[in-house]
């Protein structure tokens, strides 16, 4: 009882739904981190010890960056029941504000935890849903007039540590591990508050005649911020601006994909994904994501697939809900493998990525794409073309999945090497920037098993919100720009098309030609 005296003295349990609780006599090793939006947003870090939760208020939250120190002010012990508390503490009560369970799991101390706590230096391992690895809690020397002991929470240098260039776990995984909700979704609605205003979705994005919502999908449900759904997927911070130059919000991006779902999904569904996530928008920090993350939506599927070292995890989506869930997680670019989950060892699409060097005019890039097409035609292969939303073009070769990846790579390398050898002043197969000036880099390395290329109809995290867009060969002209199709104008394009330029890409029945045997050098007698 005495252990929780300070906790109980601060609370009126007739007014707050926080648990009164009691100290436990059973040994345990739980930990919890609660995100707490009180007078200021902070994170409450709690370790089970001696039947209670030893607790620290961490103003900036835990960091995964090795060696980074976060101030942790020790507060009163909490009952173990508090580890599952999620809700709103009424205004006027101690700690008034909204609480969510940000992370939870078990902890393992190094040495005797009671002795380490008394000495003011705890080292321990966390095994949570978000936080893993070794940490230190170090008590600082007491300062004059300091009421509560100050500690430092420090991430140790281990395999789970990140660098300053890696994503911030607090931004990467902001939701509750208990309910999947945000603070805004947990907080009660206040009748005196008007719903946040948002910019209307671009008319052109929702006017595509050919684009119908996926079965079961619903159009955006407008409500208070934090209570928006698109295709049945909840969106937190729907008004967050993702492209500042366009004023384009998360909700508008979700609605854009909902409208073009029938165009997008045939090229995206059931293919392993490499994602570019920009939780703060295109102008903030972006990072590559290939594996699952804490709080990831169930609409995004994880599959264990074989690789050279054993197995790895692959992410896929199968429907428009999966795409909207990616938007919710700040994904601005979706890149896909050239194979599907049905046969990962045999590609069904090859990519020739034509990337212009500095000083190269756009018409030359078009000429390069046409030259690739001509060489493929000479081998009996049909190809398709798309803008990348960047500077170049992708020439895409659909295949029946018969050849293995090494055969696909050898074939595409042969085409690229032949073009570079025949016209070295126009083409190169080296990625060295200085050697690419005035020439087109033909990137054939995207035809490796785990390499990827931006998916048709995916946005790019670049100014203007450009979209990688399939086009017909006859559309290639100096007036067409590689980044000319955007979230704002793509709907108008799709509604005006009489035929999908890639309508037949899945119907083409072709395989790679047999590899030519290497020439044998005559043996000397």
């Amino acid at each position: 009882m005495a252990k929780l005296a300070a906790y109980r003295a601060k609370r009126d349990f007739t007014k707050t739904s926080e648990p009164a609780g009691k100290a436990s006599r059973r040994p345990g090793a739980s930990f919890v981190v609660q995100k707490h939006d009180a007078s200021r947003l902070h994170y409450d870090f709690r370790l089970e010890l001696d039947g209670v939760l030893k607790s620290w208020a961490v103003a900036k939250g835990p960091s995964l960056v090795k060696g980074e120190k976060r101030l942790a002010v020790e507060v009163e012990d909490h009952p173990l029941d508090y580890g599952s508390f999620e809700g709103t503490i009424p205004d006027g009560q101690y700690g008034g504000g909204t609480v969510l369970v940000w992370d939870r799991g078990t902890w393992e101390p190094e040495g005797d935890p009671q002795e380490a706590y008394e000495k003011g230096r705890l080292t321990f391992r966390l095994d949570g849903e978000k936080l893993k690895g070794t940490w230190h809690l170090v008590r600082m020397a007491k300062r004059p007039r300091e009421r509560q002991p100050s500690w430092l929470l420090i991430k140790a240098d281990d395999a789970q540590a990140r660098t300053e260039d890696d994503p911030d776990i607090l931004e990467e995984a902001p939701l509750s591990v208990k309910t999947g909700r945000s603070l805004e979704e947990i907080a009660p609605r206040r009748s005196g508050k008007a719903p946040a205003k948002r910019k209307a979705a671009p008319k052109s994005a929702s006017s595509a005649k050919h684009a119908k919502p996926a079965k079961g999908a619903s159009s955006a449900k407008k409500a208070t911020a934090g209570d928006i759904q698109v295709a049945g997927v909840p969106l937190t911070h729907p008004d967050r601006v993702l492209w500042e130059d366009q004023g384009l919000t998360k909700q508008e991006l979700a609605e854009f994909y909902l409208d073009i779902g029938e165009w997008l999904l045939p090229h995206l569904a059931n293919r392993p994904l490499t994602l570019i996530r920009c939780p703060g928008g295109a102008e903030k920090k972006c990072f590559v994501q290939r594996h699952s993350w804490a709080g990831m939506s169930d609409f995004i599927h994880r599959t264990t697939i074989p690789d050279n070292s054993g197995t790895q995890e692959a992410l896929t989506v199968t429907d428009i809900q999966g795409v909207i869930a990616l938007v919710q997680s700040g994904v601005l670019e979706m890149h896909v493998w050239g194979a599907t989950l049905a046969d990962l060892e045999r590609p069904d699409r090859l990519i020739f990525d034509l990337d212009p060097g500095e000083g190269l005019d756009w018409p030359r890039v078009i000429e390069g794409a046409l030259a690739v097409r001509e060489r493929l035609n000479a081998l009996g292969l049909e190809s398709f073309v798309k803008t990348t939303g960047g500077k170049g073009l992708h020439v895409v070769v659909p295949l029946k999945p018969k050849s293995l990846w090494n055969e696909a790579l050898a074939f595409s390398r042969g085409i690229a090497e032949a073009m570079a050898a025949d016209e070295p002043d126009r083409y190169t197969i080296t990625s060295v920037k200085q050697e690419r000036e005035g020439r087109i880099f033909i990137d054939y390395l995207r035809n490796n098993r785990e390499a990827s290329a931006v998916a048709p109809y995916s946005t790019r995290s670049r100014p203007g919100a450009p979209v990688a867009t399939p086009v017909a060969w006859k559309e290639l002209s100096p007036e067409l720009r590689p980044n000319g199709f955007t979230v704002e104008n793509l709907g108008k394009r799709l509604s005006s098309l009489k035929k999908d330029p890639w309508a037949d890409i899945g119907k083409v029945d072709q395989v790679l030609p047999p590899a030519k045997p290497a020439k044998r050098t005559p043996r000397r007698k």
Side-chain angles (χ1 to χ4, degrees):
M1 184 73 71
K3 291 180 180 179
L4 297 174
Y7 169 83
R8 290 176 175 169
K10 293 179 176 182
R11 291 163 175 83
D12 182 348
F13 295 106
T14 65
K15 296 180 179 178
T16 179
S17 59
E18 297 165 280
K22 59 182 179 180
S24 173
R25 294 183 179 179
R26 295 181 180 179
S30 66
F31 90 88
V32 65
V33 181
Q34 284 159 307
K35 192 174 180 179
H36 189 175
D37 189 10
S39 56
R40 57 184 173 80
L41 180 66
H42 65 280
Y43 292 76
D44 294 314
F45 186 83
R46 312 188 195 280
L47 301 175
E48 180 178 352
L49 187 64
D50 293 337
V52 295
L53 291 172
K54 293 290 183 184
S55 300
W56 293 262
V58 185
K60 294 184 178 180
S63 171
L64 290 178
V65 176
K66 61 183 179 182
E68 185 165 336
K69 300 172 182 177
R70 291 289 168 89
L71 180 64
V73 178
E74 188 172 2
V75 297
E76 74 276 7
D77 296 341
H78 283 52
L80 298 184
D81 291 352
Y82 206 95
S84 60
F85 174 69
E86 189 167 272
T88 299
I89 302 168
D91 291 341
Q93 291 296 299
Y94 178 77
T98 306
V99 178
L100 66 72
V101 180
W102 184 78
D103 195 19
R104 61 186 174 187
T106 59
W107 73 291
E108 180 182 355
E110 184 179 288
D112 185 322
Q114 287 88 354
E115 181 181 346
Y117 173 77
E118 293 299 328
K119 289 184 176 180
R121 185 174 182 89
L122 274 166
T123 296
F124 49 90
R125 285 187 58 81
L126 296 180
D127 185 12
E129 297 183 42
K130 299 178 184 179
L131 302 181
K132 296 181 183 294
T134 302
W135 302 73
H136 306 294
L137 261 172
V138 181
R139 188 166 57 227
M140 301 168 65
K142 192 170 183 179
R143 292 174 289 183
R145 300 178 183 175
E146 185 178 64
R147 294 182 179 181
Q148 298 164 299
S150 293
W151 299 60
L152 294 175
L153 179 63
I154 308 168
K155 180 72 184 77
D157 186 0
D158 59 14
Q160 287 76 32
R162 297 183 177 183
T163 69
E164 292 181 354
D165 295 329
D166 289 325
D168 184 342
I169 186 66
L170 305 179
E171 296 180 2
E172 182 184 20
L175 304 182
S176 165
V177 295
K178 180 181 178 181
T179 62
R181 296 183 296 173
S182 66
L183 286 168
E184 291 82 0
E185 290 169 318
I186 294 170
R189 297 175 194 162
R190 298 179 183 179
S191 56
K193 243 184 181 179
K197 292 183 179 180
R198 72 174 191 89
K199 189 178 161 187
K203 291 183 180 179
S204 58
S206 59
S207 63
K209 294 178 182 178
H210 299 276
K212 299 176 183 177
K215 187 177 181 180
S218 62
S219 59
K221 183 176 75 175
K222 299 180 182 179
T224 56
D227 192 20
I228 294 291
Q229 290 191 359
V230 176
V233 180
L235 292 185
T236 59
H237 306 294
D239 293 323
R240 175 169 290 161
V241 175
L242 300 180
W243 282 271
E244 292 186 10
D245 57 341
Q246 301 293 304
L248 184 67
T249 67
K250 180 190 285 189
Q251 182 174 343
E252 290 165 352
L253 178 61
E255 291 172 342
F256 165 75
Y257 280 134
L258 179 65
D259 284 342
I260 68 164
E262 285 191 358
W263 299 81
L264 167 70
L265 286 169
H267 312 293
L268 186 75
N270 296 310
R271 292 180 184 272
L273 298 171
T274 297
L275 308 169
I276 306 297
R277 293 180 65 192
C278 309
E283 296 185 7
K284 303 291 176 59
K285 182 187 290 186
C286 299
F287 54 92
V288 177
Q289 185 96 41
R290 294 187 179 89
H291 308 300
S292 61
W293 56 92
M296 189 179 80
S297 169
D298 290 340
F299 287 120
I300 306 167
H301 305 293
R302 61 190 85 187
T303 305
T304 300
I305 63 174
D307 69 0
N308 292 334
S309 60
T311 60
Q312 66 165 305
E313 183 183 67
L315 300 180
T316 59
V317 296
T318 58
D319 50 31
I320 197 62
Q321 285 85 357
V323 178
I324 305 304
L326 293 176
V327 173
Q328 160 60 18
S329 293
V331 172
L332 298 193
E333 296 190 19
M334 300 173 289
H335 295 241
V336 292
W337 281 27
T340 67
L341 285 178
D343 194 345
L344 290 174
E345 306 307 321
R346 294 172 175 80
D348 66 344
R349 289 189 184 181
L350 298 187
I351 298 280
F352 292 89
D353 180 3
L354 279 68
D355 187 2
E358 293 294 329
L360 194 75
D361 293 335
W362 169 241
R364 292 276 298 276
V365 182
I366 295 175
E367 291 172 7
L370 293 171
V372 172
R373 183 194 190 197
E374 185 178 344
R375 286 180 181 261
L376 292 169
N377 280 344
L379 296 170
L381 294 174
E382 187 177 350
S383 58
F384 296 76
V385 66
K386 76 170 187 279
T387 65
T388 63
K391 298 186 297 180
L393 290 168
H394 284 175
V395 177
V396 182
V397 185
L399 299 170
K400 294 297 179 183
K402 300 291 185 182
S403 300
L404 295 171
W405 279 108
N406 60 341
E407 298 170 307
L409 182 63
F411 173 80
S412 56
R413 181 177 62 236
I415 296 286
E417 286 178 343
M419 292 181 66
D422 291 347
E423 297 183 87
D425 59 328
R426 296 173 70 96
Y427 308 112
T428 180
I429 58 171
T430 179
S431 60
V432 179
K433 190 173 183 180
Q434 293 85 341
E435 297 186 26
R436 291 163 52 184
E437 187 172 348
R439 295 190 287 177
I440 294 173
F441 169 46
I442 305 176
D443 185 359
Y444 63 86
L445 293 174
R446 296 187 182 276
N447 302 307
N448 268 315
R449 182 179 184 269
E450 296 180 22
S452 59
V454 66
Y457 300 110
S458 167
T459 57
R460 305 301 302 270
S461 56
R462 304 182 182 200
V467 179
T469 305
V471 296
W473 282 107
K474 64 183 180 181
E475 289 184 276
L476 291 185
S477 70
E479 290 72 37
L480 181 76
R481 307 306 303 172
N483 60 354
F485 297 116
T486 68
V487 171
E488 185 176 357
N489 65 29
L490 185 68
K492 182 178 180 181
R493 166 180 167 77
L494 298 183
S495 64
S496 67
L497 288 176
K498 295 181 179 179
K499 181 183 179 182
D500 178 355
W502 280 25
D504 298 328
I505 195 168
K507 304 173 185 177
V508 177
D509 185 4
Q510 59 188 19
V511 296
L512 290 181
K516 294 180 180 179
K519 293 182 180 180
R520 298 181 61 186
T521 303
R523 294 178 61 188
R524 293 183 180 179
K525 294 183 179 180

